[in-house]
Amino acid sequence: MFFAFAGYARIATLGEEVRDPRSTIPRAVVLSLGIVLAVYLVLAVIALRTLGVDGLAESTAPLSDVVRAAGHGGWVAVVALGASAACLGALLGLIAGVGRTALAMARHGDLPSALAVVHPQRSVPQRAEITLGIVLVVLVIMTDLRAAVGVSSFCVLVYYAIANASALRQSGEFRRYPRFVAWTGLVGCVVLAITLPISAVIVGGALLAAALAGRWAILHGTDAPEERDEIRGSDHREP
């Protein structure tokens, strides 16, 4: 269920591509989450009423089975086409959001600096997004996506937990919600992360440990302080 909602926060990474991000992005996050929740609830009720609990539990293509059970088998191809379009839409959102994350990491030396390039007219990180698209194609072809979902959920929960912990330190005009909201999110992320399949926790933890070790090696592998400052990134960069 968590993975089904993962992604709406990608909106928060697009601050450089929208007008008035301080008001636009929070409104977009709340609206998108609310709309998706309503759609999920409607579909869940329809599927349960049509297939029943046991039938839905055994189904590998529930929406197609709902259409068949309702006596409209000819529409199964349309449902499959709609599902494919929805997956592509989610993929585009993923590429846009993670591309921005890769851009920020490249600016701070956590990824190759060649990815820290923004298109002069469209203001999108084209190199990061193209690279991400290639990586995703390779992953789809070469990995078990069910295992990837578990590992992805663990890593996302970890950085969501960090985001909630960071929100606890907000103050003044930057605080939008009471502290208990961030505490609830932090505890919820930690609980969900440790209750994932043990294989996902081990692989996800190993990936994060390797990334942290690599970052430590990069930051401490330079001799001159100015080189370390350059790797960490600077807030005084060209817009």
Side-chain angles (χ1 to χ4, degrees):
M1 290 181 65
F2 167 79
F3 189 79
F5 286 98
Y8 71 89
R10 302 289 181 205
I11 301 169
T13 67
L14 302 177
E16 294 185 26
E17 298 184 36
V18 299
R19 297 186 180 92
D20 192 14
R22 181 171 294 186
S23 61
T24 300
I25 287 179
R27 185 166 61 248
V29 170
V30 174
L31 285 174
S32 62
L33 182 59
I35 292 171
V36 169
L37 177 61
V39 171
Y40 280 178
L41 287 174
V42 170
L43 289 175
V45 170
I46 292 174
L48 282 169
R49 290 179 62 87
T50 304
L51 301 178
V53 174
D54 294 335
L56 185 59
E58 296 174 357
S59 175
T60 57
L63 295 184
S64 296
D65 291 341
V66 166
V67 173
R68 291 191 187 93
H72 303 291
W75 288 87
V76 170
V78 177
V79 171
L81 183 62
S84 300
C87 289
L88 290 174
L91 180 60
L92 287 175
L94 173 72
I95 291 176
V98 179
R100 273 287 164 185
T101 302
L103 171 65
M105 293 176 69
R107 284 173 171 171
H108 288 269
D110 296 315
L111 288 176
S113 59
L115 299 178
V117 175
V118 177
H119 193 280
Q121 280 80 40
R122 297 180 175 83
S123 299
V124 297
Q126 72 270 27
R127 289 186 183 177
E129 292 185 356
I130 292 172
T131 302
L132 177 62
I134 294 172
V135 171
L136 289 174
V137 170
V138 173
L139 287 175
V140 169
I141 294 173
M142 301 184 63
T143 64
D144 181 354
L145 294 183
R146 292 170 296 182
V149 165
V151 175
S152 173
S153 293
F154 177 81
C155 294
V156 171
L157 282 164
V158 169
Y159 77 71
Y160 277 14
I162 295 172
N164 279 286
S166 300
L168 289 171
R169 303 188 62 181
Q170 289 180 321
S171 60
E173 61 176 323
F174 298 105
R175 175 164 296 283
R176 189 171 294 270
Y177 300 104
R179 287 181 180 273
F180 79 86
V181 175
W183 275 115
T184 303
L186 175 58
V187 173
C189 287
V190 172
V191 171
L192 286 176
I194 63 177
T195 54
L196 284 168
I198 187 62
S199 59
V201 175
I202 293 174
V203 175
L207 288 173
L208 291 175
L212 289 172
R215 176 177 171 78
W216 184 91
I218 291 173
L219 292 179
H220 292 79
T222 55
D223 296 327
E226 59 271 15
E227 291 180 3
R228 290 195 294 270
D229 292 340
E230 183 178 354
I231 290 174
R232 289 188 178 96
S234 172
D235 292 331
H236 304 289
R237 55 177 176 267
E238 291 293 332

